[in-house]
Amino acid sequence: MKLGFVSIAQHGFDWEWANQQFEASKRLLSQLDTPVVAPEGSVDTPEAMSNVLDRFISERVDAVIVQNGTFAWGGHIVNIAQNIDCPLFLWALPEPTLGGRLRSNSLCGVNMNSSALYRLGKFYKYVYAPADSEAALNAIRSFAKVVDTACRLRNTRIALVGYRVPGFYGSTFDELGLRKQIGPEVHHIGMAEVARKMESLSSEEVNRVLNEYYERIGGEDIGPENMERLARACAALDALCRQYGCSALAVKCWPDATQTLGTAVCSVMSKLTDDGMMAGCEADMYGTVTMLMQYYLTGKPPFLVDFVYADAEQDTGVMWHCGNAPFSLADDKSKVRISEWPRSFFGLKPGPFTFAKLGTDNGFRMLLTKGEALKSEMVFNGTTSVGRFRTPVMKLLDAIIYGGWEHHFSVVYEDVYQEMLDLCRLLGIKPVEV
């Protein structure tokens, strides 16, 4: 990803101060991991802006940061928005001094520009902070993560292994609608192809994966033969995803996996998601896309869950699935086991989380809340986390049930609530905040 940065100003205000702020801002932006393309100084005329835009277009910037060094001509922001179809970030600077002459009027300039962008239907964010401030840097970092996530989604291919589980109508999806609005391409892989790949693997390939399993768990109850079969299925799915350029997969895990592959794949998903290959259960494509969004924003593996128990008295809810949670989320590695089916068994660690699910209702929508996972043992067999949410748990349950939400949700152990909201706005997804 690449960012453009330009400061707009005019000579009727404090031009020299505006340029000083521009230089300070460039030094601040150099702390980003993202390359930044910027002109030599502040821009005042349409001709100067045209040159800047030509450079932004030639260097293919993915978003533009527009700082108001001072109040400036309103046509600049319209020209930027009309010539570069990308997200915009508006930066208002506090006045250099209070009293006497108004030297900058930066905030009013951003106000005018935001009004124009709103009426043009453009996505934008803003910050009101000094040029050398941590607040400005953090706001831009957050914006950059959202833009980067949107860019990555447009370049993502997801493997759909099999199709939906019987009766799981919530796992159906609009393949072209997903591609058009959000970006991911879906590549179909048959379960028979996975079975053939499993049998073609060398013992060295299987043993490597098997050893990686044993490094991450405290023990297993299924025996060496079943562990070898599990490792073979994991290696086969990973190899096929890489062969077809897929960075995630949604799997019809039952009944087909057990019948065709000779093993359940719950613990396969534990490992693949831990390894950065997002793996969605029960062929839930929208759940898998939600996982990808959270992973791209945080770099951390999420957990695709069922919401299975609400305790009104304690104001907590249990997030569970058969045994697919990433091993790295275990509260105690020594208690991680691979048991019946096979599947992973453990309780998840405490910490802040973001809870979300992409769905549809006359267009894409996103259920979104956040909370704090509490320290707890495994509540039900499988992988479980007990959470307290930002809203009363029964209110969350009402929202899920009366909102007609599909029964999977993605949980990532970081507060990216605001970033998920911004991503929804950027992609035209209706956020449903709870």
Side-chain angles (χ1 to χ4, degrees):
M1 192 184 70
K2 194 179 291 183
L3 295 173
F5 173 53
V6 62
S7 172
I8 55 177
Q10 64 187 46
H11 288 276
F13 291 93
D14 195 332
W15 176 265
E16 182 179 354
W17 180 82
N19 276 288
Q20 291 170 354
Q21 302 312 297
F22 176 64
E23 292 301 323
S25 300
K26 286 201 294 185
R27 290 193 294 271
L28 187 78
L29 295 176
S30 69
Q31 298 179 46
L32 296 172
D33 295 329
T34 305
V36 177
V37 179
E40 293 302 314
S42 299
V43 168
D44 57 347
T45 66
E47 293 76 19
M49 180 59 75
S50 179
N51 292 332
V52 172
L53 290 177
D54 286 344
R55 185 178 174 198
F56 286 169
I57 292 167
S58 68
E59 299 211 27
R60 303 173 67 87
V61 300
D62 297 292
V64 176
I65 302 167
V66 184
Q67 181 179 86
N68 270 81
T70 71
F71 188 88
W73 179 57
H76 287 315
I77 199 69
V78 176
N79 288 340
I80 294 170
Q82 295 293 81
N83 283 279
I84 304 181
D85 185 19
C86 72
L88 297 169
F89 187 91
L90 307 180
W91 190 347
L93 301 170
E95 287 297 315
T97 55
L98 290 178
R101 176 194 171 206
L102 186 63
R103 293 171 56 188
S104 169
N105 206 21
S106 170
L107 181 57
C108 184
V110 165
N111 189 172
M112 182 174 71
N113 290 343
S114 65
S115 175
L117 293 176
Y118 182 87
R119 283 185 279 174
L120 290 170
K122 298 295 184 178
F123 173 81
Y124 62 90
K125 289 283 291 181
Y126 87 97
V127 68
Y128 179 46
D132 58 354
S133 67
E134 194 71 20
L137 185 61
N138 289 339
I140 293 167
R141 276 183 173 145
S142 175
F143 170 78
K145 284 197 296 184
V146 171
V147 175
D148 180 61
T149 296
C151 291
R152 294 175 73 179
L153 287 168
R154 288 196 297 270
N155 292 283
T156 290
R157 179 181 284 181
I158 303 173
L160 178 60
V161 184
Y163 191 50
R164 67 166 176 81
V165 169
F168 278 41
Y169 303 111
S171 290
T172 59
F173 70 101
D174 179 354
E175 184 171 342
L176 287 179
L178 178 68
R179 183 81 183 272
K180 176 182 178 181
Q181 185 169 338
I182 300 176
E185 174 189 359
V186 177
H187 179 80
H188 294 258
I189 298 175
M191 200 65 71
E193 184 175 5
V194 181
R196 290 194 298 271
K197 187 68 174 179
M198 284 177 65
E199 300 313 315
S200 71
L201 294 169
S202 68
S203 58
E204 289 78 14
E205 291 173 292
V206 176
N207 287 333
R208 174 184 58 80
V209 174
L210 188 60
N211 290 333
E212 290 173 354
Y213 267 111
Y214 282 120
E215 289 169 0
R216 303 182 196 194
I217 64 176
E220 49 87 6
D221 305 312
I222 61 174
E225 184 177 337
N226 287 328
M227 280 297 297
E228 189 272 344
R229 195 74 184 163
L230 173 67
R232 189 173 288 275
C234 183
L237 284 167
D238 183 59
L240 286 171
C241 284
R242 296 181 188 283
Q243 176 183 331
Y244 294 119
C246 300
S247 51
L249 68 160
V251 183
K252 186 182 180 183
C253 46
W254 64 270
D256 294 29
T258 303
Q259 294 175 354
T260 307
L261 309 183
T263 180
V265 293
C266 304
S267 296
V268 168
M269 296 178 177
S270 294
K271 183 179 184 304
L272 291 178
T273 303
D274 236 355
D275 292 342
M277 180 81 70
M278 300 301 101
C281 303
E282 296 162 333
D284 183 351
M285 182 57 63
Y286 292 152
T288 305
V289 173
T290 313
M291 294 174 72
L292 274 167
M293 291 173 172
Q294 293 180 328
Y295 178 65
Y296 288 160
L297 285 171
T298 66
K300 297 178 179 179
F303 173 28
L304 192 67
V305 307
D306 292 344
F307 188 73
V308 298
Y309 185 78
D311 187 328
E313 184 177 341
Q314 297 297 319
D315 195 26
T316 59
V318 177
M319 298 164 284
W320 167 93
H321 224 156
C322 312
N324 64 332
F327 297 122
S328 61
L329 297 184
D331 189 35
D332 183 348
K333 176 185 171 181
S334 68
K335 295 181 180 179
V336 175
R337 300 196 70 79
I338 294 179
S339 195
E340 57 180 285
W341 293 3
R343 54 181 174 145
S344 306
F345 280 54
F346 57 87
L348 274 65
K349 65 184 180 180
F353 64 81
T354 306
F355 179 102
K357 176 60 187 295
L358 178 69
T360 57
D361 181 20
N362 296 317
F364 286 109
R365 61 178 182 162
M366 177 79 74
L367 182 73
L368 187 61
T369 189
K370 63 180 179 178
E372 185 82 17
L374 310 177
K375 189 172 182 63
S376 68
E377 297 294 330
M378 183 176 65
V379 181
F380 301 109
N381 288 348
T383 46
T384 60
S385 178
V386 178
R388 184 166 286 125
F389 299 84
R390 71 190 288 263
T391 193
V393 70
M394 298 310 293
K395 182 179 177 181
L396 173 60
L397 185 58
D398 285 348
I400 291 170
I401 301 299
Y402 290 126
W405 287 94
E406 302 85 354
H407 72 280
H408 289 153
F409 309 91
S410 184
V411 176
V412 69
Y413 271 69
E414 187 172 318
D415 182 357
V416 284
Y417 184 91
Q418 185 60 53
E419 286 83 355
M420 291 290 287
L421 274 179
D422 292 341
L423 186 62
C424 287
R425 289 179 56 220
L426 175 56
L427 296 175
I429 299 167
K430 178 185 176 182
V432 179
E433 301 179 67
V434 184

